[in-house]
Amino acid sequence: MTYSDELKRRFQNALMGNYGLPPVAISEGEGRHVTDVDGDTFLDMIGGIAVSSLGHNHPALVQAIGVQAARLAHTSNLYLHEKEVELAEKLLELSRIDGRVFFCNSGTEANEAALKLALLAGKDSGKTKIVAADNGFHGRTLGSLSITGKAAIREPFEPLGRDVRFVPYGDADALKAAVDDETAAVFLEPAQGEAGVVPAAVEYLLAARQCTAERGAALVIDEIQSGFGRTGAWFAHHAAGITPDAVTIAKGMGGGVPIGAVIAAGPWAAALTPGTHGSTFGGNPIACAASLAVIDTIERDHLFDNVLALGEHLDARLAGDPRVAEVRGKALWRGIALTEPVAADVVAELIGNGVLANAPRPDTIRIAPPLTITQTELDEFCDKLIAALDEIMPAPGARP
Ligand SMILES: *Cc1c(COP(=O)(O)O)cnc(C)c1O
């Protein structure tokens, strides 16, 4: 812990225990770095879990938020404001989906909305079942939790009241067998982020597209973590060349301001008729202005080229290290799998050396840094990661 016992005590007395005790207390950020309450600086390799796509304190984001806040901060959805229209049009263009958009404030809400529209669309034809993948993560509210494959976080709240079938992720035959005429929707991540950045093969996504189309079920692709540039493209599933019926997004789309959305193709979008769904804050003017600034900056500064090139650099730096079993994922959204389940120790060592990353599973370190990161900063990460591995899992013969 980098902060005082006094702050620790106040945190524990005032906040619920669901997050445990955080190792660092951050007070400010600049670019790819954050500074803690004691004045120590950290290289941010996790970006608030794939959220801070432009890094911290980016001038374009600060400007967009400030200007919008001074002009109009909130309308509710009783009234229209132009930024929501502009952002929705832009998302339809980027997603290549011929449809419409619903705005909310988080990832779990985006999946709730997608669940509701799929169930409504399937109601008259008796489609009530949902299919999702083992180890998947779709959110913590009860609807999204019901389709979350990670048993440890779902099971304490069962029964969840939905007919959900879980299938092994990546197994096309199991998926095809699970989808029938009563299936309203299939929810899949193009790569499972919380499972440690585990990508699906292109053929799997193609099979998912095919079997859902045959049965009239909605294919919902959860791009909440993978989208908005994480893989060096607007959407990870574009690499498979498929067009889903709905895509859910959140995390990186606001660059740190809470916003989420469902982009759904025409017939599915049409299921949300007046009164069927809503959100007081969804599509809030400040959040929409922030997201437009994120999109604009990614395009103007060619940030996809940056993360794709640096992704190759990362592969080159870690290639051949005997302690690294594999480096999953693309660009700079990576699961660095170790040959031993010591990822938490490595992350603690990294924090001690001024680098923030996390361990979504015992053998995997995840990185999801700002898309604006430089090669010098990435090299600093690689140097410190290798030093941490030397400390925690010294190569045979390297140490007494
Ligand atoms: C983070 C995440 C969610 C949930 O988003 P919240 O904003 O935390 O509700 C859903 N799906 C995926 C794939 C995620 O990574």
Side-chain angles (χ1 to χ4, degrees):
M1 226 156 316
T2 65
Y3 48 100
S4 67
D5 287 348
E6 167 67 2
L7 188 53
K8 171 183 162 185
R9 194 187 53 76
R10 284 174 53 210
F11 177 89
Q12 286 177 318
N13 286 341
L15 285 110
M16 295 193 191
N18 56 310
Y19 299 118
L21 192 61
V24 181
I26 297 174
S27 69
E28 57 201 270
E30 181 72 45
R32 276 68 62 194
H33 291 88
V34 294
T35 304
D36 73 3
V37 291
D38 299 326
D40 288 325
T41 295
F42 298 81
L43 176 64
D44 185 2
M45 290 303 292
I46 190 65
I49 316 185
V51 166
S52 307
S53 34
L54 302 185
H56 300 278
N57 215 359
H58 192 288
L61 192 60
V62 172
Q63 159 95 1
I65 294 168
V67 166
Q68 190 59 48
R71 191 173 178 189
L72 177 72
H74 180 73
T75 57
S76 87
N77 291 295
L78 294 174
Y79 312 106
L80 178 158
H81 67 88
E82 219 167 323
K83 291 277 186 224
E84 67 178 341
V85 180
E86 198 183 327
L87 180 59
E89 289 170 346
K90 191 74 195 174
L91 293 175
L92 291 168
E93 178 197 319
L94 299 177
S95 66
R96 307 170 196 161
I97 288 180
D98 180 11
R100 287 183 280 164
V101 174
F102 170 81
F103 286 117
C104 52
N105 315 285
S106 66
T108 199
E109 287 172 77
N111 285 327
E112 292 287 333
L115 268 173
K116 284 180 77 172
L117 69 83
L119 290 168
L120 281 178
K123 204 171 169 64
D124 292 341
S125 43
K127 293 181 186 296
T128 54
K129 297 183 190 166
I130 308 290
V131 176
D134 287 340
N135 289 320
F137 182 76
H138 298 295
R140 302 272 192 173
T141 53
L142 294 172
S144 301
L145 188 62
S146 74
I147 57 167
T148 284
K150 286 189 148 207
I153 66 173
R154 186 190 69 247
E155 278 171 2
F157 300 94
E158 289 181 336
L160 285 156
R162 296 245 78 85
D163 190 345
V164 183
R165 174 90 79 85
F166 292 101
V167 292
Y169 187 65
D171 181 339
D173 292 334
L175 182 62
K176 280 184 223 160
V179 176
D180 62 24
D181 291 335
E182 290 174 6
T183 306
V186 172
F187 279 73
L188 289 175
E189 296 160 80
Q192 293 186 323
E194 294 307 301
V197 191
V198 179
V202 165
E203 300 75 49
Y204 184 64
L205 295 178
L206 289 171
R209 178 63 289 184
Q210 195 190 347
C211 70
T212 48
E214 281 168 8
R215 300 289 190 157
L219 175 61
V220 183
I221 297 293
D222 180 338
E223 291 264 9
I224 288 161
Q225 189 162 155
S226 54
F228 255 76
R230 270 297 132 209
T231 64
W234 287 110
F235 296 96
H237 71 266
H238 282 177
I242 59 164
T243 305
D245 300 305
V247 173
T248 54
I249 49 177
K251 290 203 165 91
M253 80 179 282
V257 177
I259 181 168
V262 188
I263 311 165
W268 307 100
L272 289 193
T273 53
T276 50
H277 196 47
S279 165
T280 302
F281 290 117
N284 166 284
I286 295 176
C288 288
S291 188
L292 285 163
V294 169
I295 294 171
D296 192 55
T297 305
I298 287 175
E299 288 180 336
R300 196 194 54 218
D301 295 347
H302 306 291
L303 294 180
F304 294 170
D305 295 344
N306 186 50
V307 288
L308 286 168
L310 291 182
E312 288 180 19
H313 183 66
L314 177 77
D315 284 327
R317 288 281 326 254
L318 298 181
D321 191 304
R323 297 145 314 173
V324 176
E326 63 174 334
V327 186
R328 294 185 296 265
K330 215 171 174 179
L332 288 183
W333 184 45
R334 294 304 187 96
I336 302 169
L338 307 174
T339 53
E340 289 171 44
V342 293
D345 296 336
V346 175
V347 164
E349 181 74 15
L350 282 171
I351 291 175
N353 287 318
V355 174
L356 303 183
N358 94 318
R361 64 188 221 197
D363 68 349
T364 300
I365 298 158
R366 171 175 52 181
I367 59 166
L371 308 179
T372 50
I373 189 173
T374 64
Q375 181 164 329
T376 308
E377 289 159 344
L378 182 63
D379 276 325
E380 178 191 338
F381 166 70
C382 292
D383 292 343
K384 288 184 172 172
L385 174 65
I386 291 162
L389 295 178
D390 288 344
E391 200 58 46
I392 310 280
M393 40 194 313
R399 270 171 181 253

